[in-house]
């Protein structure tokens, strides 16, 4: 066990070259006591111990927060999303996320950012790139899917990657400057707990015309998506909002199949709609995303 590589060990070497450090302010998923790392394991004062796997992540998902044997996105969904994002189709969105995270902070301040429902880690990697060499960042990614976290750790060891649920983040209270929840499952009370009083939650949700052209192919009739802006979320108030909208030209069958596989439409679509989408060889789609910057409601 002493030989197990931990992300902290990996990062101590990388630290010399980058200013990205893994998030370490962790809590035991069983009793919420602080976790400390030694010999490749995280331990709480009561002796609960969690090994950092050889693949560079730690499983902090308590059984009571595990609703199925293999929760979250499947291996296939994760692989499809990884291929799609790697091809750069959502790069303008990643740039907008990074701009929102880094935007208002002075250059020298170290910034702690957790991605809650990080998937295969694309947005944290892009954030690290956008921050460049001069912006210190402390990064952590949480996802309930072990496949997603495994893939994130495979691609980048600079962040702390954890299998855990947004319902109970293994993260100390008031320890996070920026919390991301991108196309994810927000748990606002838990998000409010982990954010510093000055922290911000960045929420990304599909806008009304998101992937409309794909939806037109797979559903016989399209439900009019609500254009209502949800600007109230328990315990938070809206500080800023922007719409990120752009077109993507998808060429080839495989990339269209990947887009379908990474969305909930794969399971919701009627078989004939799915077949119609999978038969396409070219598709221009609209990406329409609402980004909301939310802050903790504090009485003033
Ligand atoms: C639509 S994907 C988005 C992934 C990533 N944010 C992105 O945009 O590429 C939703 C992610 O939330 C994860 N997820 C589902 N329920 C969760 C929960 N309760 N806590 C944390 N992650 C969860 C899934 O495994 C999946 O990776
Ligand atoms: Zn414990």
């Amino acid at each position: 066990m002493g030989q197990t590589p931990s992300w902290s060990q990996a990062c101590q070497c990388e630290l010399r070259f980058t200013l990205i450090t893994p998030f370490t302010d962790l809590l035991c998923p069983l009793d919420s006591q602080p976790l400390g790392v030694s010999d490749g394991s995280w331990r709480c004062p009561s002796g609960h111990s969690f090994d950092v796997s050889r693949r560079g992540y730690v499983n902090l998902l308590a059984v009571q927060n595990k609703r199925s044997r293999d929760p979250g996105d499947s291996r296939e969904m994760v692989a499809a999303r990884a291929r799609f994002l790697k091809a750069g189709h959502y790069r303008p969105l990643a740039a907008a996320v990074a701009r929102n995270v880094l935007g208002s902070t002075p250059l020298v301040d170290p910034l702690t950012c957790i991605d809650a429902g990080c998937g295969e880690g694309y947005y944290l990697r892009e954030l690290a790139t956008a921050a460049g060499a001069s912006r210190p960042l402390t990064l952590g990614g949480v996802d309930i899917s072990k496949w997603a976290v495994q893939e994130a750790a495979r691609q980048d060891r600079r962040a702390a990657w954890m299998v855990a649920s947004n319902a109970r983040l293994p993260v100390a209270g008031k320890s996070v400057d920026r919390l991301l929840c991108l196309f994810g499952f927000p748990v606002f009370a838990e998000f409010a707990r982990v954010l510093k009083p000055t922290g911000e939650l960045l929420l990304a949700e599909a806008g009304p015309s998101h992937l409309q052209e794909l939806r037109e192919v797979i559903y016989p009739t399209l439900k009019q998506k609500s254009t209502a802006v949800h600007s109230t979320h328990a315990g938070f108030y809206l500080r800023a909002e922007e719409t990120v909208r752009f077109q993507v030209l998808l060429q080839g069958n495989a990339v269209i199949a990947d887009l379908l596989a990474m969305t909930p439409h794969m399971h919701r679509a009627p078989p004939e709609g799915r077949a119609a989408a999978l038969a396409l060889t070219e598709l221009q789609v609209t990406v329409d995303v609402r980004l909301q910057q939310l802050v903790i409601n504090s009485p003033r």
Side-chain angles (χ1 to χ4, degrees), residues 72-73 81 85 117-119 123 143-145 148 164-166 182-185:
D73 279 10
R81 184 174 296 114
L85 293 175
C118 61
Y123 294 95
D143 201 285
I144 206 164
S145 158
S165 171
N166 289 353
L182 312 172
F183 306 108
F185 298 87

Side-chain angles (χ1 to χ4, degrees), residues 140-295:
V142 170
D143 201 285
I144 206 164
S145 158
K146 75 168 181 219
W147 306 112
V149 174
Q150 249 174 44
E151 177 60 20
R154 191 187 67 76
Q155 294 206 44
D156 195 321
R157 291 278 174 110
R158 292 173 300 174
W161 300 111
M162 296 159 270
V163 179
S165 171
N166 289 353
R168 189 158 180 194
L169 292 169
V171 168
K174 296 187 174 43
S175 62
V176 177
D177 293 303
R178 301 285 183 271
L179 190 61
L180 309 181
C181 185
L182 312 172
F183 306 108
F185 298 87
V187 182
F188 291 102
E190 186 62 350
F191 289 179
R193 180 185 68 78
V194 302
L195 277 171
K196 292 180 187 173
T198 53
E200 286 173 15
L201 167 62
L202 187 67
L203 207 59
E205 292 173 333
S209 51
H210 189 54
L211 307 181
Q212 176 157 347
E213 300 83 350
L214 178 67
R215 289 186 285 118
E216 281 167 0
V217 172
I218 57 185
Y219 298 109
T221 49
L222 267 197
K223 269 192 243 146
Q224 202 53 43
K225 281 198 114 193
S226 160
T227 50
V229 175
H230 303 286
S231 52
T232 51
H233 295 290
F236 284 87
Y237 73 90
L238 184 64
R239 173 182 280 170
E241 176 166 45
E242 76 176 89
T243 295
V244 182
R245 195 180 289 125
F246 54 94
Q247 301 275 313
V248 180
L249 179 63
L250 303 176
Q251 289 177 304
N253 213 258
V255 66
I256 297 167
D258 280 344
L259 177 62
L260 185 62
M262 67 187 244
T263 67
H265 303 302
M266 184 66 166
H267 302 291
R268 281 186 207 149
E272 53 284 6
R274 210 166 31 228
L278 292 174
L280 296 171
T281 52
E282 187 171 290
L283 181 68
Q284 172 131 329
V285 279
T286 305
V287 178
D288 175 25
V289 178
R290 191 153 57 219
L291 274 183
Q292 293 186 323
Q293 240 183 55
L294 300 155
V295 288

